[in-house]
Amino acid sequence: MSIRYTFGGDEFIFVEISEDMSLDAFFKGTAITRELQRRNVAGVTEICPANASYQVRYDPDVIAPDTLLALLKEIDAEVGDAPLELETRIVEVPVLYNDPWTHETLMRFRERHQDPSSTDLEYAARINGLSSVDAFIAAHSGTPWFVSMVGFVAGLPFMFQMVERSRQLEVPKYLRPRTDTPKLTVGHGGCFGCIYSVRGAGGYQMFGVTPAPIFDPGQRLSYLRDFMVFFRPGDIVKFAPIDRETYDRNLAEVEAGTFALRVKPVKFVLGEFKRDPDAYNRSLAEVLHAD
């Protein structure tokens, strides 16, 4: 894995870990940025991890560019010699798949879609070689996902499915972006899943909605009290299909300020995952539902 460092003006260093997205590249970037954050380096003002890269903003009056570059290379060497492990959390996100709101929206924009005669879920099932929408939903919700970065709009997580590359669900984005996407839509583009934190434009395929707010400047719910943005890079997400009755009940709990997500701390070890992904994912599910 050959890392490329690039200066951006007088205040940024962009680090490309790999041209291809992979769990190895993602974990290395996460490990480096977390170690950099832990060191609390004077002059480093922002650290932004991404899918297979990261960017650091710094004050050149406090830390010289070459000094910071040397530090990043030093941390990279230390991370490269250590097992890739991550103290993180696993989150269960309820999803009403095939909901009426994304369905109404996708029908308004069929002229922008690769297959105007089918829904987004039907199209996704077909191009992934699955027999039905139900089979696709089972594949989408059956394995966990890593949050590899948060951005585009406030609080939106990009997620990478935790299976071998040959099994990853892949669906292209719309031919032309929509001008509307319902708030809290669970979407997919390329190999990445996402949750649209707010209503707005978008080009990802739409599979369902979650009742769980993930961005709230008012911070009304318990899991948003510490910060208005819920997700962090490194979080593990497990989607849980729900029916309309459960969705409506969850929504009422959100309005009452009593809704809570199921969140558990977990230690993720990349080497153990790669030895047997299915068994490791089952162990993560056990952590999530342990009393």
Side-chain angles (χ1 to χ4, degrees):
M1 197 178 298
S2 178
I3 294 185
R4 181 164 58 189
Y5 299 86
T6 307
F7 286 106
D10 298 328
E11 298 181 356
F12 298 92
I13 296 181
F14 175 71
V15 184
E16 186 179 36
I17 296 168
S18 172
E19 292 184 356
D20 298 323
M21 175 60 201
S22 67
L23 285 175
D24 297 82
F26 161 69
F27 264 96
K28 187 161 192 177
T30 300
I32 292 169
T33 53
R34 289 197 173 191
E35 174 61 18
L36 180 62
Q37 183 179 36
R38 188 192 67 80
R39 295 191 184 192
N40 195 26
V41 178
V44 172
T45 58
E46 292 181 70
I47 305 169
C48 182
N51 297 320
S53 62
Y54 66 93
Q55 183 167 274
V56 179
R57 188 176 188 179
Y58 62 97
D59 182 345
D61 292 329
V62 177
I63 184 169
D66 289 341
T67 301
L68 178 56
L69 178 61
L71 176 62
L72 295 179
K73 290 182 177 180
E74 173 191 317
I75 294 174
D76 169 60
E78 292 178 5
V79 168
D81 294 334
L84 291 177
E85 301 178 355
L86 189 64
E87 296 288 346
T88 186
R89 56 188 183 168
I90 184 167
V91 183
E92 185 174 77
V93 176
V95 181
L96 177 61
Y97 287 93
N98 219 356
D99 66 284
W101 306 284
T102 59
H103 181 81
E104 184 277 330
T105 303
L106 67 87
M107 294 306 293
R108 282 193 280 125
F109 292 96
R110 292 331 278 167
E111 81 284 356
R112 304 183 184 210
H113 196 272
Q114 292 87 345
D115 185 358
S117 64
S118 67
T119 67
D120 291 8
L121 274 168
E122 289 168 344
Y123 173 68
R126 178 170 58 79
I127 68 168
N128 280 278
L130 296 166
S131 60
S132 66
V133 165
D134 287 344
F136 182 85
I137 292 171
H140 188 268
S141 61
T143 57
W145 300 68
F146 262 116
V147 175
S148 56
M149 62 179 287
V150 179
F152 176 68
V153 295
L156 184 151
F158 287 87
M159 295 172 285
F160 190 71
Q161 193 175 23
M162 293 170 56
V163 293
E164 302 92 332
R165 182 167 297 214
S166 61
R167 292 171 54 198
Q168 284 172 353
L169 299 172
E170 295 192 18
V171 190
K173 295 187 288 187
Y174 275 43
L175 297 174
R176 289 185 293 131
R178 300 177 303 274
T179 56
D180 191 21
T181 307
K183 179 181 177 180
L184 298 177
T185 289
V186 174
H188 198 104
C191 66
F192 288 105
C194 81
I195 302 173
Y196 285 81
S197 53
V198 296
R199 182 179 182 180
Y204 277 24
Q205 308 285 335
M206 297 182 289
F207 299 155
V209 292
T210 177
I214 58 172
F215 168 67
D216 178 19
Q219 297 177 265
R220 294 179 58 244
L221 298 173
S222 60
Y223 62 87
L224 289 163
R225 295 275 161 76
D226 292 337
F227 193 48
M228 67 180 72
V229 170
F230 175 68
F231 283 113
R232 304 189 292 254
D235 281 344
I236 299 172
V237 173
K238 183 68 169 60
F239 294 117
I242 58 174
D243 58 21
R244 178 63 186 271
E245 181 181 356
T246 304
Y247 176 86
D248 290 341
R249 183 173 66 249
N250 289 166
L251 213 56
E253 293 168 350
V254 170
E255 291 300 314
T258 60
F259 178 80
L261 283 170
R262 184 187 295 268
V263 183
K264 294 290 183 67
V266 68
K267 181 178 182 178
F268 184 85
V269 182
L270 181 60
E272 294 180 8
F273 168 80
K274 292 173 73 173
R275 278 194 289 275
D276 191 341
D278 290 337
Y280 200 86
N281 286 342
R282 286 194 295 271
S283 71
L284 291 175
E286 291 170 0
V287 169
L288 184 60
H289 290 280
D291 293 333

PDB file of all heavy atoms in Angstrom, residues 101-110 118-121 174 178 206:
ATOM      1  N   TRP A 101     -42.788   6.842   1.270  1.00  0.00           N
ATOM      2  CA  TRP A 101     -42.243   8.174   0.983  1.00  0.00           C
ATOM      3  C   TRP A 101     -41.110   8.124  -0.036  1.00  0.00           C
ATOM      4  O   TRP A 101     -41.093   8.920  -0.975  1.00  0.00           O
ATOM      5  CB  TRP A 101     -41.780   8.824   2.291  1.00  0.00           C
ATOM      6  CG  TRP A 101     -42.896   8.834   3.285  1.00  0.00           C
ATOM      7  CD1 TRP A 101     -43.987   9.668   3.311  1.00  0.00           C
ATOM      8  CD2 TRP A 101     -43.073   7.913   4.362  1.00  0.00           C
ATOM      9  NE1 TRP A 101     -44.821   9.339   4.353  1.00  0.00           N
ATOM     10  CE2 TRP A 101     -44.290   8.262   5.016  1.00  0.00           C
ATOM     11  CE3 TRP A 101     -42.324   6.835   4.859  1.00  0.00           C
ATOM     12  CZ2 TRP A 101     -44.758   7.578   6.128  1.00  0.00           C
ATOM     13  CZ3 TRP A 101     -42.793   6.147   5.962  1.00  0.00           C
ATOM     14  CH2 TRP A 101     -43.993   6.523   6.591  1.00  0.00           C
ATOM     15  N   THR A 102     -40.179   7.198   0.120  1.00  0.00           N
ATOM     16  CA  THR A 102     -39.155   7.079  -0.917  1.00  0.00           C
ATOM     17  C   THR A 102     -39.763   6.535  -2.210  1.00  0.00           C
ATOM     18  O   THR A 102     -39.329   6.893  -3.303  1.00  0.00           O
ATOM     19  CB  THR A 102     -37.984   6.179  -0.465  1.00  0.00           C
ATOM     20  OG1 THR A 102     -38.469   4.873  -0.148  1.00  0.00           O
ATOM     21  CG2 THR A 102     -37.270   6.780   0.729  1.00  0.00           C
ATOM     22  N   HIS A 103     -40.788   5.676  -2.084  1.00  0.00           N
ATOM     23  CA  HIS A 103     -41.450   5.163  -3.294  1.00  0.00           C
ATOM     24  C   HIS A 103     -42.085   6.305  -4.084  1.00  0.00           C
ATOM     25  O   HIS A 103     -41.913   6.394  -5.310  1.00  0.00           O
ATOM     26  CB  HIS A 103     -42.503   4.126  -2.934  1.00  0.00           C
ATOM     27  CG  HIS A 103     -43.194   3.547  -4.134  1.00  0.00           C
ATOM     28  ND1 HIS A 103     -42.638   2.541  -4.903  1.00  0.00           N
ATOM     29  CD2 HIS A 103     -44.388   3.864  -4.714  1.00  0.00           C
ATOM     30  CE1 HIS A 103     -43.459   2.256  -5.898  1.00  0.00           C
ATOM     31  NE2 HIS A 103     -44.529   3.030  -5.806  1.00  0.00           N
ATOM     32  N   GLU A 104     -42.792   7.195  -3.396  1.00  0.00           N
ATOM     33  CA  GLU A 104     -43.415   8.333  -4.086  1.00  0.00           C
ATOM     34  C   GLU A 104     -42.346   9.201  -4.730  1.00  0.00           C
ATOM     35  O   GLU A 104     -42.508   9.663  -5.869  1.00  0.00           O
ATOM     36  CB  GLU A 104     -44.236   9.150  -3.078  1.00  0.00           C
ATOM     37  CG  GLU A 104     -45.024  10.302  -3.684  1.00  0.00           C
ATOM     38  CD  GLU A 104     -44.187  11.565  -3.867  1.00  0.00           C
ATOM     39  OE1 GLU A 104     -43.241  11.789  -3.072  1.00  0.00           O
ATOM     40  OE2 GLU A 104     -44.467  12.333  -4.814  1.00  0.00           O
ATOM     41  N   THR A 105     -41.245   9.397  -4.037  1.00  0.00           N
ATOM     42  CA  THR A 105     -40.165  10.244  -4.574  1.00  0.00           C
ATOM     43  C   THR A 105     -39.510   9.601  -5.773  1.00  0.00           C
ATOM     44  O   THR A 105     -39.291  10.255  -6.807  1.00  0.00           O
ATOM     45  CB  THR A 105     -39.116  10.517  -3.483  1.00  0.00           C
ATOM     46  OG1 THR A 105     -39.740  11.123  -2.354  1.00  0.00           O
ATOM     47  CG2 THR A 105     -38.028  11.453  -3.997  1.00  0.00           C
ATOM     48  N   LEU A 106     -39.165   8.335  -5.685  1.00  0.00           N
ATOM     49  CA  LEU A 106     -38.478   7.683  -6.806  1.00  0.00           C
ATOM     50  C   LEU A 106     -39.361   7.622  -8.046  1.00  0.00           C
ATOM     51  O   LEU A 106     -38.861   7.701  -9.184  1.00  0.00           O
ATOM     52  CB  LEU A 106     -37.967   6.304  -6.403  1.00  0.00           C
ATOM     53  CG  LEU A 106     -38.937   5.165  -6.084  1.00  0.00           C
ATOM     54  CD1 LEU A 106     -39.356   4.393  -7.325  1.00  0.00           C
ATOM     55  CD2 LEU A 106     -38.313   4.218  -5.059  1.00  0.00           C
ATOM     56  N   MET A 107     -40.684   7.508  -7.856  1.00  0.00           N
ATOM     57  CA  MET A 107     -41.578   7.490  -9.007  1.00  0.00           C
ATOM     58  C   MET A 107     -41.619   8.851  -9.705  1.00  0.00           C
ATOM     59  O   MET A 107     -41.871   8.922 -10.912  1.00  0.00           O
ATOM     60  CB  MET A 107     -42.980   7.065  -8.587  1.00  0.00           C
ATOM     61  CG  MET A 107     -43.072   5.620  -8.084  1.00  0.00           C
ATOM     62  SD  MET A 107     -42.399   4.396  -9.254  1.00  0.00           S
ATOM     63  CE  MET A 107     -43.580   4.540 -10.604  1.00  0.00           C
ATOM     64  N   ARG A 108     -41.368   9.924  -8.970  1.00  0.00           N
ATOM     65  CA  ARG A 108     -41.338  11.266  -9.571  1.00  0.00           C
ATOM     66  C   ARG A 108     -40.087  11.497 -10.414  1.00  0.00           C
ATOM     67  O   ARG A 108     -40.050  12.427 -11.222  1.00  0.00           O
ATOM     68  CB  ARG A 108     -41.393  12.344  -8.479  1.00  0.00           C
ATOM     69  CG  ARG A 108     -42.771  12.571  -7.897  1.00  0.00           C
ATOM     70  CD  ARG A 108     -42.809  13.846  -7.058  1.00  0.00           C
ATOM     71  NE  ARG A 108     -42.264  13.657  -5.724  1.00  0.00           N
ATOM     72  CZ  ARG A 108     -41.282  14.374  -5.208  1.00  0.00           C
ATOM     73  NH1 ARG A 108     -40.688  15.303  -5.926  1.00  0.00           N
ATOM     74  NH2 ARG A 108     -40.863  14.151  -3.968  1.00  0.00           N
ATOM     75  N   PHE A 109     -39.071  10.653 -10.225  1.00  0.00           N
ATOM     76  CA  PHE A 109     -37.795  10.884 -10.904  1.00  0.00           C
ATOM     77  C   PHE A 109     -37.379   9.688 -11.758  1.00  0.00           C
ATOM     78  O   PHE A 109     -36.188   9.477 -11.984  1.00  0.00           O
ATOM     79  CB  PHE A 109     -36.709  11.179  -9.860  1.00  0.00           C
ATOM     80  CG  PHE A 109     -36.884  12.488  -9.144  1.00  0.00           C
ATOM     81  CD1 PHE A 109     -37.509  12.537  -7.912  1.00  0.00           C
ATOM     82  CD2 PHE A 109     -36.449  13.673  -9.719  1.00  0.00           C
ATOM     83  CE1 PHE A 109     -37.682  13.742  -7.244  1.00  0.00           C
ATOM     84  CE2 PHE A 109     -36.616  14.882  -9.063  1.00  0.00           C
ATOM     85  CZ  PHE A 109     -37.236  14.927  -7.818  1.00  0.00           C
ATOM     86  N   ARG A 110     -38.334   8.913 -12.284  1.00  0.00           N
ATOM     87  CA  ARG A 110     -37.966   7.730 -13.057  1.00  0.00           C
ATOM     88  C   ARG A 110     -37.213   8.063 -14.329  1.00  0.00           C
ATOM     89  O   ARG A 110     -36.418   7.256 -14.825  1.00  0.00           O
ATOM     90  CB  ARG A 110     -39.205   6.888 -13.410  1.00  0.00           C
ATOM     91  CG  ARG A 110     -39.898   6.203 -12.254  1.00  0.00           C
ATOM     92  CD  ARG A 110     -38.975   5.849 -11.112  1.00  0.00           C
ATOM     93  NE  ARG A 110     -38.213   4.604 -11.306  1.00  0.00           N
ATOM     94  CZ  ARG A 110     -37.200   4.254 -10.560  1.00  0.00           C
ATOM     95  NH1 ARG A 110     -36.770   5.041  -9.595  1.00  0.00           N
ATOM     96  NH2 ARG A 110     -36.578   3.119 -10.787  1.00  0.00           N
ATOM     97  N   SER A 118     -38.829  -0.046 -13.245  1.00  0.00           N
ATOM     98  CA  SER A 118     -38.783  -0.750 -11.965  1.00  0.00           C
ATOM     99  C   SER A 118     -38.486   0.241 -10.842  1.00  0.00           C
ATOM    100  O   SER A 118     -38.092   1.381 -11.088  1.00  0.00           O
ATOM    101  CB  SER A 118     -37.706  -1.839 -11.991  1.00  0.00           C
ATOM    102  OG  SER A 118     -36.416  -1.256 -12.081  1.00  0.00           O
ATOM    103  N   THR A 119     -38.684  -0.189  -9.606  1.00  0.00           N
ATOM    104  CA  THR A 119     -38.327   0.645  -8.464  1.00  0.00           C
ATOM    105  C   THR A 119     -36.833   0.507  -8.174  1.00  0.00           C
ATOM    106  O   THR A 119     -36.154  -0.370  -8.730  1.00  0.00           O
ATOM    107  CB  THR A 119     -39.114   0.233  -7.214  1.00  0.00           C
ATOM    108  OG1 THR A 119     -38.681  -1.079  -6.810  1.00  0.00           O
ATOM    109  CG2 THR A 119     -40.615   0.229  -7.479  1.00  0.00           C
ATOM    110  N   ASP A 120     -36.314   1.344  -7.289  1.00  0.00           N
ATOM    111  CA  ASP A 120     -34.900   1.267  -6.938  1.00  0.00           C
ATOM    112  C   ASP A 120     -34.556  -0.090  -6.332  1.00  0.00           C
ATOM    113  O   ASP A 120     -33.514  -0.674  -6.641  1.00  0.00           O
ATOM    114  CB  ASP A 120     -34.541   2.376  -5.947  1.00  0.00           C
ATOM    115  CG  ASP A 120     -34.594   3.762  -6.572  1.00  0.00           C
ATOM    116  OD1 ASP A 120     -35.044   3.882  -7.728  1.00  0.00           O
ATOM    117  OD2 ASP A 120     -34.179   4.724  -5.895  1.00  0.00           O
ATOM    118  N   LEU A 121     -35.423  -0.601  -5.453  1.00  0.00           N
ATOM    119  CA  LEU A 121     -35.165  -1.906  -4.842  1.00  0.00           C
ATOM    120  C   LEU A 121     -35.222  -3.034  -5.868  1.00  0.00           C
ATOM    121  O   LEU A 121     -34.393  -3.957  -5.844  1.00  0.00           O
ATOM    122  CB  LEU A 121     -36.175  -2.169  -3.726  1.00  0.00           C
ATOM    123  CG  LEU A 121     -35.822  -1.605  -2.348  1.00  0.00           C
ATOM    124  CD1 LEU A 121     -37.033  -1.681  -1.424  1.00  0.00           C
ATOM    125  CD2 LEU A 121     -34.639  -2.348  -1.729  1.00  0.00           C
ATOM    126  N   TYR A 174     -28.149   7.310  -9.602  1.00  0.00           N
ATOM    127  CA  TYR A 174     -29.052   7.735 -10.673  1.00  0.00           C
ATOM    128  C   TYR A 174     -28.246   8.342 -11.825  1.00  0.00           C
ATOM    129  O   TYR A 174     -27.160   8.889 -11.621  1.00  0.00           O
ATOM    130  CB  TYR A 174     -30.019   8.801 -10.148  1.00  0.00           C
ATOM    131  CG  TYR A 174     -31.260   8.261  -9.456  1.00  0.00           C
ATOM    132  CD1 TYR A 174     -31.198   7.204  -8.554  1.00  0.00           C
ATOM    133  CD2 TYR A 174     -32.505   8.842  -9.685  1.00  0.00           C
ATOM    134  CE1 TYR A 174     -32.330   6.735  -7.914  1.00  0.00           C
ATOM    135  CE2 TYR A 174     -33.655   8.382  -9.054  1.00  0.00           C
ATOM    136  CZ  TYR A 174     -33.557   7.323  -8.171  1.00  0.00           C
ATOM    137  OH  TYR A 174     -34.688   6.873  -7.537  1.00  0.00           O
ATOM    138  N   ARG A 178     -31.480  13.543  -8.276  1.00  0.00           N
ATOM    139  CA  ARG A 178     -32.813  14.057  -7.949  1.00  0.00           C
ATOM    140  C   ARG A 178     -32.677  15.440  -7.303  1.00  0.00           C
ATOM    141  O   ARG A 178     -31.635  15.767  -6.732  1.00  0.00           O
ATOM    142  CB  ARG A 178     -33.521  13.130  -6.943  1.00  0.00           C
ATOM    143  CG  ARG A 178     -33.725  11.713  -7.412  1.00  0.00           C
ATOM    144  CD  ARG A 178     -34.360  10.888  -6.292  1.00  0.00           C
ATOM    145  NE  ARG A 178     -33.543  10.919  -5.068  1.00  0.00           N
ATOM    146  CZ  ARG A 178     -32.526  10.091  -4.834  1.00  0.00           C
ATOM    147  NH1 ARG A 178     -32.204   9.167  -5.724  1.00  0.00           N
ATOM    148  NH2 ARG A 178     -31.840  10.175  -3.720  1.00  0.00           N
ATOM    149  N   MET A 206     -32.715   4.615  -3.490  1.00  0.00           N
ATOM    150  CA  MET A 206     -33.432   4.744  -2.223  1.00  0.00           C
ATOM    151  C   MET A 206     -34.103   3.418  -1.858  1.00  0.00           C
ATOM    152  O   MET A 206     -34.907   2.896  -2.631  1.00  0.00           O
ATOM    153  CB  MET A 206     -34.465   5.865  -2.321  1.00  0.00           C
ATOM    154  CG  MET A 206     -33.847   7.233  -2.569  1.00  0.00           C
ATOM    155  SD  MET A 206     -35.073   8.569  -2.635  1.00  0.00           S
ATOM    156  CE  MET A 206     -35.882   8.191  -4.203  1.00  0.00           C
TER     157      MET A 206
END
